[in-house]
Amino acid sequence: MALLVDIVFEDDRWQALGLQALADAAAGAVLADQRLSGDFEISLLACDDARIAALNADFRGKATATNVLSWPAEALATEEDGGAPFAPDAEDPMGAELGDIAIAWETCAREAAEQGKEIAAHVSHLLVHGVLHLLGYDHIREKDAALMEACELRILASLGVADPYDIA
């Protein structure tokens, strides 16, 4: 299996954090957990709050900064609430492109500080979350949210990251 996380750094603070290593580890752990083999690509935009707020306004109609956004290349979700998404086809040239993720520095740093977490652990969680979205997971419906959270916890544990929902 080959995984390429191609990062565009618009904010240099991400490089100092070691985002490439965090992204490679998070995406690799998601694919391993989901038992996906083949060649996959993810594009990651490492930006600031101003940029992600503009993207959030353009794509979701919400002109505010958020921590992470994702744009799946393919619709993999099922209609059944709590149903596992369809697997991408690694042999299909279009299926190999999982999609795009954007992550915002200031929001991530602020959330980590407010929650008393290391920023690398928080970013790893958000990257796992974003990659799961690319694979068709969502958290709008109750059973879908429970399924996605269970996946996140299992994957984060494999990375040595504590339960992000256990906030004191």
Side-chain angles (χ1 to χ4, degrees):
M1 173 181 75
L3 171 68
L4 173 63
V5 179
D6 184 28
I7 303 178
V8 173
F9 289 95
E10 286 188 356
D11 189 315
D12 292 338
R13 293 174 287 187
W14 286 112
Q15 289 186 7
L17 181 65
L19 184 62
Q20 185 70 61
L22 292 174
D24 290 341
V30 171
L31 295 183
D33 178 78
Q34 298 294 298
R35 295 179 175 87
L36 295 174
S37 60
D39 296 336
F40 294 100
E41 295 179 17
I42 296 169
S43 295
L44 177 59
L45 175 63
C47 61
D48 62 14
D49 275 7
R51 176 76 152 125
I52 211 161
L55 292 168
N56 206 14
D58 289 347
F59 291 96
R60 298 178 64 224
K62 298 179 181 184
T64 60
T66 188
N67 49 23
V68 67
L69 292 171
S70 58
W71 297 270
E74 184 179 4
L76 299 172
T78 64
E79 294 294 321
E80 177 189 353
D81 186 7
F86 300 105
D89 182 3
E91 302 305 317
D92 177 353
M94 293 306 291
E97 293 180 24
L98 296 180
D100 304 327
I101 297 172
I103 191 163
W105 177 264
E106 293 93 345
T107 297
C108 291
R110 185 186 73 253
E111 289 173 345
E114 289 171 355
Q115 297 170 19
K117 299 176 183 174
E118 294 290 328
I119 189 169
H122 186 54
V123 167
S124 292
H125 173 220
L126 294 172
L127 292 169
V128 165
H129 186 87
V131 175
L132 285 171
H133 273 308
L134 298 183
L135 294 176
Y137 286 88
D138 208 343
H139 45 82
I140 295 172
R141 301 179 301 191
E142 188 175 327
K143 290 179 183 176
D144 288 342
L147 177 65
M148 186 173 185
E149 184 175 316
C151 289
E152 287 178 356
L153 293 176
R154 190 174 57 244
I155 295 163
L156 291 170
S158 78
L159 293 169
V161 175
D163 179 347
Y165 300 107
D166 185 22
I167 300 171

